Amino acid sequence: MYLTTAQSSLLVAGIYLGFCLLELARTRLFAKGEQTRNDGIIEIVSTFTLLIATQPLILFAVGTLGHRFFPGYEGALAGIPFIAALALFLVFEDMMQYWWHRASHSFAWLYNLHRAHHNARYMSVRLVYRNNIIYYAMMPSIWFAGALVYLGLGWFYAGYLVVKMAVIIGAHSDVAWDAPLYRIKALSPLMWVVERTISTPATHHAHHGRHADDPAVNYKGNFGNLLFFWDVLFGTAKITRHYPQSYGVENLPPATLGQQLLWPIFPENKDMDADIAGATPAAPKAVTLA
């Protein structure tokens, strides 16, 4: 028995709400350190735009194009084995997102589309869907997922999305579920496997760290979303079991609300394409870990 789209959406919402409640109780969900008024606006607008408009419209567009140009392929893969469906989604959805994310930290124009995700000076579930609206519209992995659904793998996608979003939501939260597990010596071998397989708070927080000279930061690495294994495989992994002292972007001027949500419609600041790595001294730690 497989999940329906409605069941999948409810489960993802429940996981998200669960982490929200943890942060509300332990790390001030609505009052993060160094947050600004624009942070809340960006998170609300980008989250609801993605979930209500961008993602559904991409799935609709792929289906429409499929019916128009490839009607004979609708549902063509519906009967393939579970393991084959898993392999297709891991390669064409999750690995594709890894390369899109990595490219976003390699090309200045693409980073301008992604910078909103890193502009926050805190970690939180609030960051999960925080990005430039155009960044999501262009994200290849969403379009590939739509193609796989058109080919008949909607039955698999519903469950896959729950697992993937559980990992991503947990990796962004500042209530770090992995921190207490690292302190249990008997679990060290298991955690060695886990942290090289999926994204954890320690590995993903490193990607959001503010200062390049912080040993726990890997701003131009740790790009994985569901699987951290892609970073291990392609040489961009850094595993420290520690967390950055602070979060955000260094060596770039402030970006406006319009730039973060709709660059290039709102042009970037003069030096917005400056080198994102730098040597600014690390700031005091501003996040509470589990």
Side-chain angles (χ1 to χ4, degrees):
M1 181 178 178
Y2 297 103
L3 295 175
T4 65
T5 301
Q7 290 170 331
S8 175
S9 298
L10 286 173
L11 284 171
V12 172
I15 294 166
Y16 188 88
L17 179 60
F19 273 95
C20 283
L21 292 174
L22 282 174
E23 289 191 20
L24 187 64
R26 301 184 61 180
T27 61
R28 303 185 306 168
L29 176 64
F30 299 113
K32 300 298 184 182
E34 299 187 69
Q35 75 175 39
T36 68
R37 176 178 175 272
N38 282 352
D39 286 323
I41 297 173
I42 293 165
E43 288 152 6
I44 291 170
V45 172
S46 60
T47 296
F48 281 94
T49 300
L50 171 66
L51 298 179
I52 295 175
T54 307
Q55 193 169 38
L57 285 173
I58 289 176
L59 294 176
F60 175 77
V62 172
T64 300
L65 291 171
H67 290 143
R68 176 66 177 84
F69 297 105
F70 307 100
Y73 288 92
E74 183 176 8
L77 299 180
I80 66 173
F82 179 93
I83 192 68
L86 175 61
L88 286 172
F89 270 95
L90 289 180
V91 171
F92 288 101
E93 198 279 334
D94 196 55
M95 188 179 76
M96 185 59 63
Q97 189 173 0
Y98 164 87
W99 283 109
W100 174 250
H101 190 187
R102 183 169 175 174
S104 300
H105 285 262
S106 302
F107 302 99
W109 69 271
L110 192 50
Y111 181 73
N112 288 343
L113 290 175
H114 180 53
R115 180 181 167 182
H117 189 66
H118 287 274
N119 238 47
R121 296 195 166 192
Y122 49 85
M123 292 301 293
S124 172
V125 295
R126 292 165 46 179
L127 273 60
V128 170
Y129 301 109
R130 173 177 171 148
N131 251 310
N132 184 299
I133 293 169
I134 300 172
Y135 178 84
Y136 280 128
M138 292 174 58
M139 186 177 286
S141 57
I142 302 179
W143 290 88
F144 274 106
L148 291 172
V149 169
Y150 177 75
L151 291 170
L153 298 183
W155 59 270
F156 182 86
Y157 186 49
Y160 169 84
L161 202 58
V162 172
V163 175
K164 177 163 183 169
M165 291 313 304
V167 170
I168 292 175
I169 291 167
H172 281 86
S173 177
D174 62 356
V175 179
W177 60 263
D178 56 346
L181 300 181
Y182 290 139
R183 296 193 287 267
I184 302 175
K185 188 174 182 180
L187 292 180
S188 188
L190 174 63
M191 292 305 294
W192 188 95
V193 174
V194 169
E195 65 192 356
R196 285 163 176 77
T197 305
I198 64 171
S199 292
T200 64
T203 56
H204 196 69
H205 281 214
H207 177 66
H208 282 260
R210 188 187 310 181
H211 301 291
D213 61 353
D214 183 341
V217 169
N218 192 26
Y219 195 73
K220 292 189 176 182
N222 292 26
F223 300 115
N225 291 273
L226 169 57
L227 294 188
F228 187 74
F229 173 73
W230 304 128
D231 287 282
V232 176
L233 180 63
F234 297 117
T236 54
K238 182 177 182 178
I239 301 173
T240 67
R241 297 193 176 185
H242 297 287
Y243 308 86
Q245 296 184 18
S246 60
Y247 300 93
V249 177
E250 68 177 350
N251 290 352
L252 287 179
T256 67
L257 178 64
Q259 289 160 2
Q260 292 186 69
L261 284 173
L262 283 170
W263 183 91
I265 295 174
F266 293 90
E268 74 276 14
N269 287 335
K270 185 176 180 181
D271 297 321
M272 200 172 167
D273 61 350
D275 185 8
I276 58 177
T280 306
K285 195 164 187 174
V287 64
T288 302
L289 302 173

